[in-house]
Amino acid sequence: MGYVGNHLATLVTGVFAAVLTGLWPYFVDFAPILNFVFIMAVPITWFLTFTCWISQRSTDYMHNHAPTHAEKKSLSNTQTIQTTTSGSQVSLSEIKQIQNELSLELSNVKETVKLKDSEIERLNQEISNLETLVQIESLKTELANLKMLASKRTTKSK
């Protein structure tokens, strides 16, 4: 944390703002443009000092009041979730148990789907084989018809 408790940016801008504020009366009489620069610079540096201070306070508050890892773990083990429809509460352990049951059921469904996929593949192969057999039979029938036509032509030509 250091000597200034992480407020180094606040300290530096504050010192700069204080120096500008202290020098302002000595440079008022030199040039009007210099007076304008001081009129702009002094409020801006004090605003930056205030902004640095507020942001560091906010960061310190968030880090000091945030639960540590052990507190988060103990909170997560005893955490309950209230459902909006029935008003009942479900603990985290019950959610884990239901999740395990559902993952087991999902793996069973996946196995069943794999079996169905293999059955579908086998049936597709049988359909393909039957289509080939039908094509062979239609070719045999066509060949028999052609032989019959050829024999009729040979008998007519004699």
Side-chain angles (χ1 to χ4, degrees), residues 62-95:
M62 291 304 292
H63 286 282
N64 289 340
H65 294 290
T68 62
H69 182 66
E71 290 172 352
K72 286 180 186 176
K73 189 157 182 98
S74 68
L75 285 176
S76 67
N77 288 340
T78 60
Q79 185 177 16
T80 60
I81 299 170
Q82 184 171 1
T83 58
T84 56
T85 56
S86 63
S88 64
Q89 290 186 350
V90 179
S91 69
L92 192 59
S93 61
E94 290 173 338
I95 291 174

Short mmCIF file of all heavy atoms in Angstrom, two decimals, residues 62-95:
data_model
loop_
_atom_site.label_atom_id
_atom_site.label_comp_id
_atom_site.label_asym_id
_atom_site.label_seq_id
_atom_site.Cartn_x
_atom_site.Cartn_y
_atom_site.Cartn_z
N MET A 62 -14.27 -1.12 -2.47
CA MET A 62 -14.66 -2.36 -3.14
C MET A 62 -13.72 -3.51 -2.77
O MET A 62 -14.16 -4.64 -2.60
CB MET A 62 -14.67 -2.18 -4.67
CG MET A 62 -15.78 -1.28 -5.15
SD MET A 62 -17.42 -1.82 -4.63
CE MET A 62 -17.58 -3.30 -5.57
N HIS A 63 -12.42 -3.23 -2.63
CA HIS A 63 -11.48 -4.29 -2.32
C HIS A 63 -11.49 -4.65 -0.84
O HIS A 63 -11.22 -5.80 -0.49
CB HIS A 63 -10.07 -3.91 -2.76
CG HIS A 63 -9.90 -3.98 -4.24
ND1 HIS A 63 -9.72 -5.15 -4.91
CD2 HIS A 63 -9.91 -3.01 -5.19
CE1 HIS A 63 -9.62 -4.93 -6.20
NE2 HIS A 63 -9.73 -3.63 -6.41
N ASN A 64 -11.80 -3.71 0.03
CA ASN A 64 -11.85 -4.02 1.45
C ASN A 64 -13.13 -4.74 1.84
O ASN A 64 -13.14 -5.52 2.77
CB ASN A 64 -11.70 -2.74 2.28
CG ASN A 64 -10.29 -2.19 2.22
OD1 ASN A 64 -9.36 -2.91 1.89
ND2 ASN A 64 -10.14 -0.91 2.53
N HIS A 65 -14.20 -4.48 1.12
CA HIS A 65 -15.48 -5.07 1.49
C HIS A 65 -15.88 -6.24 0.60
O HIS A 65 -16.93 -6.82 0.80
CB HIS A 65 -16.58 -4.01 1.47
CG HIS A 65 -16.38 -2.97 2.53
ND1 HIS A 65 -16.54 -3.24 3.86
CD2 HIS A 65 -16.01 -1.66 2.45
CE1 HIS A 65 -16.28 -2.15 4.57
NE2 HIS A 65 -15.96 -1.18 3.74
N ALA A 66 -15.07 -6.57 -0.38
CA ALA A 66 -15.37 -7.73 -1.22
C ALA A 66 -15.02 -8.98 -0.44
O ALA A 66 -14.03 -9.03 0.29
CB ALA A 66 -14.55 -7.67 -2.50
N PRO A 67 -15.85 -10.03 -0.57
CA PRO A 67 -15.54 -11.25 0.17
C PRO A 67 -14.28 -11.92 -0.38
O PRO A 67 -14.01 -11.86 -1.57
CB PRO A 67 -16.77 -12.14 -0.06
CG PRO A 67 -17.46 -11.56 -1.24
CD PRO A 67 -17.08 -10.13 -1.32
N THR A 68 -13.50 -12.51 0.52
CA THR A 68 -12.29 -13.22 0.11
C THR A 68 -12.68 -14.53 -0.55
O THR A 68 -13.86 -14.93 -0.57
CB THR A 68 -11.38 -13.50 1.32
OG1 THR A 68 -12.10 -14.35 2.22
CG2 THR A 68 -10.97 -12.20 2.01
N HIS A 69 -11.68 -15.24 -1.07
CA HIS A 69 -11.95 -16.51 -1.76
C HIS A 69 -12.59 -17.53 -0.82
O HIS A 69 -13.52 -18.24 -1.18
CB HIS A 69 -10.66 -17.06 -2.36
CG HIS A 69 -10.84 -18.33 -3.11
ND1 HIS A 69 -11.57 -18.39 -4.29
CD2 HIS A 69 -10.43 -19.60 -2.86
CE1 HIS A 69 -11.59 -19.63 -4.72
NE2 HIS A 69 -10.90 -20.38 -3.88
N ALA A 70 -12.11 -17.59 0.43
CA ALA A 70 -12.67 -18.54 1.40
C ALA A 70 -14.12 -18.17 1.73
O ALA A 70 -14.98 -19.05 1.85
CB ALA A 70 -11.83 -18.55 2.67
N GLU A 71 -14.40 -16.87 1.86
CA GLU A 71 -15.77 -16.45 2.14
C GLU A 71 -16.69 -16.76 0.96
O GLU A 71 -17.82 -17.19 1.14
CB GLU A 71 -15.81 -14.96 2.45
CG GLU A 71 -15.17 -14.59 3.77
CD GLU A 71 -15.06 -13.07 3.94
OE1 GLU A 71 -15.33 -12.35 2.98
OE2 GLU A 71 -14.70 -12.63 5.04
N LYS A 72 -16.18 -16.56 -0.26
CA LYS A 72 -16.98 -16.88 -1.45
C LYS A 72 -17.29 -18.36 -1.49
O LYS A 72 -18.40 -18.76 -1.82
CB LYS A 72 -16.22 -16.48 -2.73
CG LYS A 72 -16.18 -15.01 -2.99
CD LYS A 72 -15.41 -14.73 -4.26
CE LYS A 72 -15.23 -13.26 -4.50
NZ LYS A 72 -14.41 -12.99 -5.69
N LYS A 73 -16.30 -19.20 -1.16
CA LYS A 73 -16.50 -20.64 -1.19
C LYS A 73 -17.53 -21.07 -0.14
O LYS A 73 -18.40 -21.88 -0.41
CB LYS A 73 -15.18 -21.36 -0.98
CG LYS A 73 -15.25 -22.84 -1.20
CD LYS A 73 -13.89 -23.37 -1.51
CE LYS A 73 -13.97 -24.85 -1.79
NZ LYS A 73 -14.01 -25.15 -3.16
N SER A 74 -17.44 -20.50 1.05
CA SER A 74 -18.40 -20.87 2.09
C SER A 74 -19.79 -20.36 1.74
O SER A 74 -20.78 -21.01 2.04
CB SER A 74 -17.96 -20.34 3.45
OG SER A 74 -18.03 -18.93 3.47
N LEU A 75 -19.86 -19.19 1.08
CA LEU A 75 -21.16 -18.68 0.65
C LEU A 75 -21.76 -19.55 -0.44
O LEU A 75 -22.95 -19.81 -0.46
CB LEU A 75 -21.03 -17.24 0.14
CG LEU A 75 -20.85 -16.16 1.19
CD1 LEU A 75 -20.63 -14.81 0.51
CD2 LEU A 75 -22.05 -16.09 2.10
N SER A 76 -20.91 -20.05 -1.35
CA SER A 76 -21.44 -20.84 -2.46
C SER A 76 -21.92 -22.21 -2.00
O SER A 76 -22.82 -22.79 -2.60
CB SER A 76 -20.38 -20.99 -3.56
OG SER A 76 -19.31 -21.78 -3.07
N ASN A 77 -21.33 -22.75 -0.92
CA ASN A 77 -21.77 -24.05 -0.43
C ASN A 77 -23.14 -23.98 0.25
O ASN A 77 -23.88 -24.94 0.25
CB ASN A 77 -20.74 -24.63 0.54
CG ASN A 77 -19.50 -25.08 -0.18
OD1 ASN A 77 -19.53 -25.31 -1.38
ND2 ASN A 77 -18.41 -25.19 0.54
N THR A 78 -23.45 -22.85 0.86
CA THR A 78 -24.70 -22.74 1.59
C THR A 78 -25.73 -21.90 0.83
O THR A 78 -26.77 -21.59 1.37
CB THR A 78 -24.46 -22.09 2.96
OG1 THR A 78 -23.89 -20.79 2.76
CG2 THR A 78 -23.52 -22.93 3.80
N GLN A 79 -25.41 -21.56 -0.38
CA GLN A 79 -26.29 -20.67 -1.15
C GLN A 79 -27.57 -21.42 -1.54
O GLN A 79 -27.53 -22.57 -1.93
CB GLN A 79 -25.56 -20.19 -2.40
CG GLN A 79 -26.32 -19.19 -3.20
CD GLN A 79 -25.48 -18.72 -4.40
OE1 GLN A 79 -24.51 -19.34 -4.76
NE2 GLN A 79 -25.90 -17.64 -4.99
N THR A 80 -28.69 -20.73 -1.44
CA THR A 80 -29.96 -21.29 -1.89
C THR A 80 -30.56 -20.37 -2.92
O THR A 80 -30.32 -19.17 -2.91
CB THR A 80 -30.95 -21.45 -0.72
OG1 THR A 80 -31.18 -20.17 -0.15
CG2 THR A 80 -30.43 -22.42 0.32
N ILE A 81 -31.34 -20.96 -3.80
CA ILE A 81 -31.98 -20.20 -4.87
C ILE A 81 -33.48 -20.33 -4.68
O ILE A 81 -34.00 -21.42 -4.53
CB ILE A 81 -31.56 -20.75 -6.24
CG1 ILE A 81 -30.04 -20.61 -6.41
CG2 ILE A 81 -32.28 -20.03 -7.35
CD1 ILE A 81 -29.50 -21.32 -7.59
N GLN A 82 -34.16 -19.20 -4.69
CA GLN A 82 -35.61 -19.21 -4.51
C GLN A 82 -36.26 -19.10 -5.89
O GLN A 82 -35.97 -18.20 -6.65
CB GLN A 82 -36.04 -18.04 -3.64
CG GLN A 82 -37.52 -18.05 -3.33
CD GLN A 82 -37.88 -17.01 -2.29
OE1 GLN A 82 -37.04 -16.28 -1.82
NE2 GLN A 82 -39.13 -16.96 -1.93
N THR A 83 -37.14 -20.05 -6.17
CA THR A 83 -37.83 -20.01 -7.45
C THR A 83 -38.99 -19.04 -7.35
O THR A 83 -39.61 -18.89 -6.30
CB THR A 83 -38.35 -21.41 -7.86
OG1 THR A 83 -39.22 -21.87 -6.83
CG2 THR A 83 -37.20 -22.37 -8.02
N THR A 84 -39.30 -18.37 -8.46
CA THR A 84 -40.32 -17.32 -8.42
C THR A 84 -41.73 -17.88 -8.52
O THR A 84 -42.67 -17.29 -8.03
CB THR A 84 -40.09 -16.32 -9.57
OG1 THR A 84 -40.09 -17.03 -10.80
CG2 THR A 84 -38.78 -15.59 -9.38
N THR A 85 -41.91 -19.02 -9.16
CA THR A 85 -43.27 -19.53 -9.36
C THR A 85 -43.84 -20.16 -8.11
O THR A 85 -44.96 -19.87 -7.71
CB THR A 85 -43.29 -20.56 -10.51
OG1 THR A 85 -42.36 -21.60 -10.21
CG2 THR A 85 -42.94 -19.89 -11.82
N SER A 86 -43.07 -21.05 -7.44
CA SER A 86 -43.63 -21.76 -6.30
C SER A 86 -43.18 -21.18 -4.97
O SER A 86 -43.75 -21.50 -3.93
CB SER A 86 -43.26 -23.23 -6.38
OG SER A 86 -41.86 -23.37 -6.29
N GLY A 87 -42.14 -20.38 -4.97
CA GLY A 87 -41.65 -19.81 -3.73
C GLY A 87 -40.78 -20.76 -2.93
O GLY A 87 -40.36 -20.44 -1.85
N SER A 88 -40.51 -21.97 -3.43
CA SER A 88 -39.68 -22.92 -2.71
C SER A 88 -38.21 -22.60 -2.96
O SER A 88 -37.86 -21.93 -3.92
CB SER A 88 -39.98 -24.35 -3.17
OG SER A 88 -39.65 -24.49 -4.53
N GLN A 89 -37.36 -23.09 -2.06
CA GLN A 89 -35.93 -22.84 -2.18
C GLN A 89 -35.22 -24.13 -2.52
O GLN A 89 -35.57 -25.20 -2.03
CB GLN A 89 -35.38 -22.28 -0.88
CG GLN A 89 -35.86 -20.87 -0.60
CD GLN A 89 -35.18 -20.28 0.61
OE1 GLN A 89 -34.49 -20.97 1.34
NE2 GLN A 89 -35.38 -19.00 0.82
N VAL A 90 -34.20 -24.00 -3.39
CA VAL A 90 -33.41 -25.15 -3.81
C VAL A 90 -31.96 -24.85 -3.45
O VAL A 90 -31.44 -23.80 -3.81
CB VAL A 90 -33.54 -25.36 -5.34
CG1 VAL A 90 -32.72 -26.55 -5.78
CG2 VAL A 90 -34.99 -25.55 -5.73
N SER A 91 -31.31 -25.78 -2.75
CA SER A 91 -29.92 -25.55 -2.36
C SER A 91 -29.00 -25.90 -3.53
O SER A 91 -29.38 -26.58 -4.47
CB SER A 91 -29.56 -26.37 -1.14
OG SER A 91 -29.52 -27.74 -1.48
N LEU A 92 -27.78 -25.45 -3.42
CA LEU A 92 -26.79 -25.68 -4.47
C LEU A 92 -26.47 -27.16 -4.60
O LEU A 92 -26.26 -27.65 -5.71
CB LEU A 92 -25.54 -24.87 -4.18
CG LEU A 92 -24.52 -24.76 -5.30
CD1 LEU A 92 -25.16 -24.11 -6.52
CD2 LEU A 92 -23.33 -23.95 -4.85
N SER A 93 -26.45 -27.89 -3.50
CA SER A 93 -26.17 -29.33 -3.57
C SER A 93 -27.28 -30.06 -4.31
O SER A 93 -27.02 -31.01 -5.06
CB SER A 93 -25.98 -29.90 -2.17
OG SER A 93 -27.17 -29.72 -1.41
N GLU A 94 -28.53 -29.64 -4.12
CA GLU A 94 -29.63 -30.27 -4.85
C GLU A 94 -29.52 -29.98 -6.34
O GLU A 94 -29.80 -30.83 -7.18
CB GLU A 94 -30.97 -29.77 -4.31
CG GLU A 94 -31.30 -30.27 -2.93
CD GLU A 94 -32.55 -29.61 -2.36
OE1 GLU A 94 -32.92 -28.51 -2.82
OE2 GLU A 94 -33.15 -30.20 -1.45
N ILE A 95 -29.09 -28.77 -6.66
CA ILE A 95 -28.90 -28.42 -8.07
C ILE A 95 -27.82 -29.30 -8.69
O ILE A 95 -27.97 -29.81 -9.80
CB ILE A 95 -28.56 -26.92 -8.22
CG1 ILE A 95 -29.78 -26.08 -7.87
CG2 ILE A 95 -28.09 -26.60 -9.63
CD1 ILE A 95 -29.52 -24.60 -7.84
#
